[in-house]
Amino acid sequence: KVIMKWEYNDYRPEGFESWSAIWGKNPRRQCKICVAKIGENKYTVWWYDQRGLTDIKTQIDATSWDEAKKSAIAIVQNTFNSRAGYWRDMADGFTKWVESEQ
């Protein structure tokens, strides 16, 4: 079982605190999840795709870093599951359309 390795980053006093984890071994194909504390119980979650572009960005409420990281993981998983369902439905609909035209 692989355990996510979270890295703490402290950009204060000018910036903010954050935790991030990188997925992928090839530096040019890595994805990254980041959780930043922006208020007392307010956090921002980012998911950066393999090109380093922001793919997901949302704000959450959490009472601790651990809760915020768990929520961030759930947000990314739910987003991927939703997208996968969309593309499965799209592929199925396309196949049915092609078959109905023949």
Side-chain angles (χ1 to χ4, degrees):
K1 181 178 178 180
V2 177
I3 298 174
M4 289 180 69
K5 182 180 174 188
W6 289 92
E7 180 181 316
Y8 177 73
N9 301 291
D10 189 348
Y11 302 107
R12 296 173 301 167
E14 299 85 12
F16 53 86
E17 298 176 89
S18 72
W19 284 86
S20 60
I22 295 174
W23 174 42
K25 295 185 192 284
N26 182 340
R28 288 185 276 165
R29 303 277 296 160
Q30 291 177 332
C31 298
K32 179 176 170 181
I33 189 170
C34 182
V35 180
K37 189 168 188 174
I38 58 172
E40 184 66 31
N41 291 319
K42 186 70 82 178
Y43 298 80
T44 296
V45 174
W46 289 280
W47 174 257
Y48 298 97
D49 68 14
Q50 296 172 337
R51 298 164 294 168
L53 302 175
T54 303
D55 186 30
I56 300 169
K57 182 180 179 187
T58 190
Q59 290 185 4
I60 59 169
D61 293 319
T63 58
S64 69
W65 279 111
D66 287 338
E67 184 181 335
K69 290 187 279 188
K70 286 179 186 176
S71 293
I73 291 167
I75 287 167
V76 173
Q77 287 176 323
N78 290 340
T79 299
F80 288 160
N81 287 338
S82 175
R83 290 177 183 173
Y86 169 81
W87 287 110
R88 273 191 307 270
D89 292 347
M90 182 68 75
D92 185 48
F94 182 78
T95 299
K96 288 177 182 175
W97 175 62
V98 169
E99 290 171 354
S100 71
E101 295 292 319
Q102 295 177 1

